[in-house]
Amino acid sequence: MLKVTDINVYYGNIHAIKGVSFDVHQGEIVTLIGANGAGKSTILKAVSGLLRSKTGSISFLDSDIGAATAHNIVRRGLVQVPEGRRIFLKMSVQQNLEMGNYIHHRSVMNEKLEDIFTRFPRLKERRKQLGGTLSGGEQQMLAIGRAMMTSPQLLMLDEPSMGLAPLLVEQIFDIITELNASGVTVLLVEQNARMALSVAHRGYVLETGRIVASAPADELLEDEAVRRAYLGG
Amino acid sequence: MLFVAQLVNALQLGSIYALIALGYSMVYGIIKLLNFAHGDVIMVGGYIAIFSLAAGMHPAVAIILVIVGCTALAIIMEKLAYTPLRNAPRISVLITAIGISILLQNLAQLFFGARPRPLHIPFPTGSISIGEITLAYPMLITIGSAILSMLMLNYIVHRTKLGKAMRAVSEDTDAARLMGINVNSVITFTFALGAALAGIGAVLYFVRLPVVAPTAGAMLGLKAFIAAVFGGIGSIPGAMLGGFAIGILEVIVNASGFSRWTDGAVFLVLIIILLVRPAGLVGKPTIEKV
């Protein structure tokens, strides 16, 4: 579904991503794990079209998106929930969700809104509240809900557990599993490797801009080196 | 009685400042650029009015041409000068804006001469009297059309798809991109909208002060910019409020017999607001929850 081949991304002179290749198949949950600064977010930004790779190719649903603009990539069914949620703080919960429907016609909005509100009853309770007044967990739900409003085939999540209490982290990962069960393919970037590997089918381990391991998630959970580096022994 | 007459006078001037300030504020809100060429768009609008009226066009057609011309000019400016600088440091874009301002003024001087030209836009003359108060039609029309334009702007920004996209881009450009919004076209639309309002402002301004010169837009633009800062740059209600506030201030200074100090008073306001409340009247430091 998504095939990334040999991408190299630079920030000025800094070579942040060094020849990374990976793929995501329809129906999977794939996770990229790695320490802070390993380049996980940079990879997602490159796939989303917010950053450009100097080499290689990125293809989604068999068409090349390496040169496509970010807004066209969303229209093709690939959406990212960015790190730090990035919801519109000055808009209400409902308006945030409506922005997710921007690429679609108004007529399909209500049905999707109802679906989001069934998944996230908290958002329905707070639909009139400004995004900036929500708690961290609610903001993450809103960010996921807003991305789901674009009707994606592949949902990319960047650190959805960041800054959340353990109970909320659990809840967010349950939601990710549910979304996947309902047919959405997921690419998950996480520092919380244990949690990410527990829901994912496959995982890639990223170290300073390179992929150093890739395996089914349960194997990575058992792997001695991965355990020591990312799972606290 | 004199007070009411002066108040209407202040509101007329304020409406013009507000219409122009909106363009500064919207563009700043969306790409953090102080578009110093915005005032010169008004000057170009003045010349468009002169030539279309001289060509014998109906005043209504000439007015529409001014508005369309200003809008087109802003779109061309944005595409040629600002789009290529989308990822450049903000200071480069700012200097480019100043450069375009100088370019427009000098082109006008080259083609139309430095000598100020009279511009007589046929406008309904006469006045209505309520008791002892006499209100001239142009004043009332100016205030009315400014308010109408602002109501339309409010509708566009809050009710239409492009307007909502504008708000999204101004709050978080990358997040807006991830919603499938074409940020470049939203930016162009914002310039166009601001320039259309400036076009309306140009007509109303030259009805009040019927002389066009290459530098006609410079001081007007600067004062409208101060109005935008005073209200809180980036904020639409702030620009409206700031525009009326500066209009009222000017009229008060004039009416108190200090007309030579009018410009000075406006600049003094800029200094004071930057010292005391840099975010402007309605601006507030944003609180972000992470």
Side-chain angles (χ1 to χ4, degrees):
Chain A
M1 182 177 219
L2 176 72
K3 191 164 177 53
V4 173
T5 317
D6 189 33
I7 58 168
N8 283 278
V9 184
Y10 296 78
Y11 289 109
N13 287 326
I14 300 161
H15 194 175
I17 300 298
K18 300 158 186 159
V20 163
S21 302
F22 65 95
D23 49 18
V24 180
H25 305 295
Q26 184 109 36
E28 276 188 317
I29 300 181
V30 172
T31 182
L32 299 177
I33 58 174
N36 201 2
K40 306 182 299 288
S41 299
T42 308
I43 292 176
L44 287 201
K45 282 184 186 162
V47 174
S48 286
L50 297 175
L51 291 172
R52 289 264 174 257
S53 169
K54 289 209 169 169
T55 60
S57 70
I58 303 173
S59 85
F60 176 63
L61 295 174
D62 297 322
S63 58
D64 182 43
I65 55 166
T69 51
H71 60 95
N72 273 323
I73 290 173
V74 178
R75 285 169 194 267
R76 289 168 194 238
L78 201 175
V79 74
Q80 184 193 159
V81 179
E83 184 177 355
R85 338 202 201 294
R86 306 283 286 269
I87 58 162
F88 300 113
L89 302 170
K90 294 183 215 156
M91 295 187 193
S92 71
V93 167
Q94 171 123 9
Q95 285 170 332
N96 265 278
L97 292 171
E98 287 176 5
M99 286 318 300
N101 195 55
Y102 184 79
I103 56 173
H104 300 293
H105 193 263
R106 242 195 112 73
S107 58
V108 297
M109 190 170 73
N110 283 338
E111 197 186 326
K112 283 191 286 177
L113 269 180
E114 277 318 307
D115 180 50
I116 302 285
F117 285 146
T118 337
R119 275 185 206 282
F120 304 104
R122 283 298 277 280
L123 295 184
K124 187 169 191 173
E125 288 165 29
R126 300 183 186 262
R127 64 200 292 173
K128 296 243 161 64
Q129 259 177 257
L130 289 186
T133 65
L134 300 183
S135 72
E138 290 162 346
Q139 288 194 358
Q140 188 61 57
M141 290 177 196
L142 180 56
I144 296 175
R146 186 181 65 172
M148 287 307 297
M149 289 293 287
T150 66
S151 310
Q153 302 199 46
L154 173 56
L155 179 69
M156 302 193 294
L157 298 126
D158 194 350
E159 305 273 7
S161 75
M162 194 171 68
L164 299 186
L167 207 64
L168 278 166
V169 173
E170 199 99 29
Q171 210 180 332
I172 294 289
F173 277 87
D174 283 346
I175 290 162
I176 294 170
T177 316
E178 278 169 34
L179 288 174
N180 178 246
S182 70
V184 183
T185 309
V186 176
L187 174 59
L188 176 64
V189 152
E190 262 298 341
Q191 271 192 67
N192 187 340
R194 183 184 301 279
M195 205 66 205
L197 288 171
S198 73
V199 300
H201 302 109
R202 288 189 301 123
Y204 291 86
V205 181
L206 204 65
E207 250 169 44
T208 57
R210 280 180 228 278
I211 286 178
V212 294
S214 76
D218 42 2
E219 284 179 27
L220 286 176
L221 273 172
E222 298 302 319
D223 186 277
E224 210 35 57
V226 172
R227 290 180 73 103
R228 223 173 324 151
Y230 301 105
L231 304 174
Chain B
M1 292 315 109
L2 184 67
F3 172 75
V4 177
Q6 288 289 20
L7 181 68
V8 175
N9 183 23
L11 291 179
Q12 181 195 11
L13 189 60
S15 316
I16 296 167
Y17 286 147
L19 283 174
I20 301 163
L22 282 166
Y24 279 106
S25 219
M26 285 194 295
V27 166
Y28 184 84
I30 215 144
I31 53 170
K32 302 283 172 284
L33 162 70
L34 297 173
N35 180 18
F36 278 117
H38 188 58
D40 301 292
V41 168
I42 294 154
M43 171 272 293
V44 174
Y47 283 106
I48 295 175
I50 289 181
F51 290 111
S52 29
L53 288 172
M57 281 180 204
H58 188 276
V61 178
I63 288 172
I64 290 168
L65 260 182
V66 170
I67 298 168
V68 172
C70 287
T71 310
L73 176 65
I75 293 174
I76 295 168
M77 243 161 45
E78 202 276 318
K79 287 280 175 220
L80 288 184
Y82 301 141
T83 303
L85 296 175
R86 195 68 81 224
N87 298 314
R90 272 165 62 187
I91 192 80
S92 313
V93 195
L94 181 70
I95 290 168
T96 306
I98 295 171
I100 294 182
S101 167
I102 296 170
L103 177 75
L104 287 177
Q105 288 180 27
N106 284 279
L107 282 178
Q109 188 168 340
L110 184 69
F111 289 122
F112 314 129
R115 184 177 50 88
R117 293 175 185 232
L119 165 60
H120 178 70
I121 301 175
F123 230 58
T125 47
S127 56
I128 50 169
S129 302
I130 308 163
E132 292 171 39
I133 309 158
T134 309
L135 301 171
Y137 282 145
M139 283 188 172
L140 299 176
I141 292 172
T142 299
I143 298 169
S145 42
I147 290 172
L148 199 66
S149 310
M150 291 179 211
L151 288 176
M152 273 172 61
L153 176 69
N154 196 52
Y155 177 83
I156 292 172
V157 171
H158 288 276
R159 293 274 171 266
T160 67
K161 213 165 172 172
L162 260 172
K164 287 176 186 169
M166 269 175 68
R167 290 166 59 205
V169 173
S170 98
E171 206 185 315
D172 189 331
T173 310
D174 271 350
R177 278 198 181 96
L178 293 176
M179 297 291 98
I181 295 170
N182 183 342
V183 169
N184 271 336
S185 31
V186 171
I187 292 172
T188 306
F189 176 71
T190 308
F191 270 88
L193 203 56
L197 293 172
I200 298 169
V203 172
L204 300 174
Y205 175 72
F206 290 117
V207 165
R208 189 184 158 101
L209 198 87
V211 186
V212 185
T215 52
M219 185 54 102
L220 176 62
L222 208 50
K223 285 186 182 171
F225 162 69
I226 293 171
V229 174
F230 185 60
I233 193 139
S235 150
I236 287 177
M240 299 180 189
L241 199 67
F244 284 113
I246 297 293
I248 290 168
L249 172 80
E250 279 202 8
V251 169
I252 289 175
V253 174
N254 276 338
S256 341
F258 297 103
S259 56
R260 286 174 65 192
W261 291 93
T262 313
D263 294 349
V266 176
F267 288 114
L268 188 66
V269 164
L270 177 66
I271 294 170
I272 293 171
I273 197 88
L274 288 179
L275 285 176
V276 178
R277 203 179 153 80
L281 285 184
V282 302
K284 48 187 165 219
T286 30
I287 300 153
E288 285 179 30
K289 212 171 195 174
V290 187

